[in-house]
Amino acid sequence: MSSGDEPAVPPAASVPGPSLPARAQRFTIYRADEPVPPAIAGAIAAIGNFDGVHLGHRALIAAVRETARAAGRPAVVLTFEPHPRAYFAPHLPMFRLTDAPAKEIVFAHLGLDGLIVRRFDATLAGTGARDFVEGLLVRDLGVAGVVIGHDFHFGRGREGTPALLAELCAEVGLSCRIIPPVALSEGAAPVSSSAIRAALAEGAVARANALLGYRWFVSGAVRHGDKRGRTLGYPTANVALSDCGLAHGIYAVRVRLPDGAVKDGVASYGRRPTFDDGAPLLEVNLFDFSGDLYGQGIAVEFLDFIRGEERFDGAEALIARMHLDAAEARRIIAGDPVPSMFAA
């Protein structure tokens, strides 16, 4: 499956994403420097970057919900944008598992009362550990307690450790709960964002999804291409992805459309070596669909890897293989009855 040219990747803020399903819209997202909204005032907050919102992060979220429920307080997540690594090294590519809109979608499915997004800038980067607690957590956000992972560091130069955070919280009357590492099985390596990136780089989508606890997905605006997919009998919705470390190849996918409908499909991510060997592009052929999606936001969930990207001798050989890829994608999807996380 191959079509499309190499459109420039627009700034992240300009790329439309999927809206939240109705069941996931009942939580508060707070980004401003104004007073914290009453719905999440005095909350217990899980703190971290949460790239991927994977099973290790889910343990923090389960703990914050449990702690908040026992205290009769709201349960929220406190996270930071841009990712601190992007702030300190903006010139280096960074494969983010979940950008800000994607994290919001996942958080909204996890029974939280809200999300606090704090801008990571020079002021926050230069904040000492004590000021992080007394200034940000107590004075600015008014939280009643925190939940963190065993490897959480904070403050200027990462001077704050979990032990120091527990000590500083005790001084100001905040609760502090530290969650140990999470693994899929006894003796296995802890779940981590880096392990998920490594799995996706190998095309091991099933392993990545197991570590995430949901199907990995991307979102973006459908772009115009050269319409080659139509001539091959496989029209595609094309999405340019920035700094994506996914292995080039063919995947079985489910796609949430702008109207909320969820469609099955087969997707190619790569450089189209049979034709132009251009910039990487995600091209999605939606089964049993016809319509105009240009300029609209879609979300693409990856179920499994079918094969790596190949160069074919011509269009006929490519089309024959595309028939096999589509049939294999249908087989994979039929054997995976778990509904899309975007289903209404």
Side-chain angles (χ1 to χ4, degrees), residues 4-323:
D5 51 19
E6 297 92 53
V9 179
S14 70
V15 177
S19 59
L20 295 175
R23 70 166 183 258
Q25 290 176 342
R26 296 181 295 274
F27 86 135
T28 300
I29 300 176
Y30 170 63
R31 300 184 181 87
D33 293 327
E34 300 171 356
V36 175
I40 57 173
I44 307 294
I47 310 176
N49 292 314
F50 295 98
D51 188 26
V53 198
H54 55 59
L55 290 179
H57 299 144
R58 299 275 282 274
L60 268 71
I61 291 169
V64 81
R65 290 178 59 194
E66 177 186 62
T67 303
R69 183 169 57 248
R73 294 182 175 277
V76 304
V77 159
L78 167 60
T79 192
F80 308 95
E81 291 291 341
H83 192 290
R85 191 184 308 170
Y87 171 81
F88 287 114
H91 59 290
L92 297 178
M94 180 183 176
F95 176 21
R96 288 191 63 173
L97 298 171
T98 44
D99 58 14
K103 285 199 296 187
E104 292 175 9
I105 289 169
V106 181
F107 285 139
H109 282 76
L110 299 180
L112 292 160
D113 296 297
L115 168 65
I116 299 172
V117 183
R118 200 66 176 183
R119 180 168 180 78
F120 195 91
D121 55 15
T123 299
L124 190 56
T127 299
R130 181 173 293 278
D131 285 342
F132 181 89
V133 175
E134 296 178 353
L136 176 62
L137 298 183
V138 176
R139 184 189 66 241
D140 295 347
L141 301 179
V143 302
V146 299
V147 176
I148 58 168
H150 69 288
D151 56 354
F152 178 72
H153 285 74
F154 65 101
R156 183 176 50 243
R158 291 170 56 85
E159 66 184 13
T161 63
L164 179 58
L165 181 61
E167 178 182 323
L168 293 173
C169 284
E171 290 181 11
V172 296
L174 303 185
S175 66
C176 180
R177 185 172 173 181
I178 302 171
I179 305 302
V182 173
L184 287 180
S185 60
E186 187 174 353
V191 175
S192 68
S193 300
S194 59
I196 297 165
R197 291 189 194 97
L200 292 172
E202 298 171 8
V205 172
R207 183 167 83 240
N209 290 348
L211 295 172
L212 286 165
Y214 62 92
R215 298 189 193 96
W216 183 67
F217 68 93
V218 297
S219 62
V222 176
R223 315 302 299 273
H224 283 279
D226 59 16
K227 313 299 190 292
R228 186 182 294 120
R230 294 182 184 179
T231 67
L232 298 174
Y234 285 86
T236 59
N238 304 327
V239 178
L241 304 177
S242 177
D243 296 327
C244 179
L246 179 67
H248 291 184
I250 311 301
Y251 296 86
V253 299
R254 283 198 176 106
V255 181
R256 185 171 195 262
L257 304 180
D259 64 1
V262 177
K263 293 289 185 179
D264 300 334
V266 60
S268 168
Y269 179 64
R271 296 182 179 275
R272 305 161 303 285
T274 302
F275 297 104
D276 57 9
D277 226 8
L281 187 69
L282 177 65
E283 304 168 283
V284 185
N285 173 249
L286 298 168
F287 300 150
D288 309 313
F289 173 81
S290 63
D292 183 356
L293 296 173
Y294 292 123
Q296 301 182 68
I298 62 172
V300 183
E301 289 182 322
F302 290 77
L303 276 67
D304 211 346
F305 180 77
I306 296 175
R307 64 172 175 86
E309 188 172 48
E310 301 177 40
R311 182 188 300 274
F312 292 89
D313 292 334
E316 288 187 7
L318 174 59
I319 291 170
R321 187 53 201 254
M322 290 164 66
H323 291 333

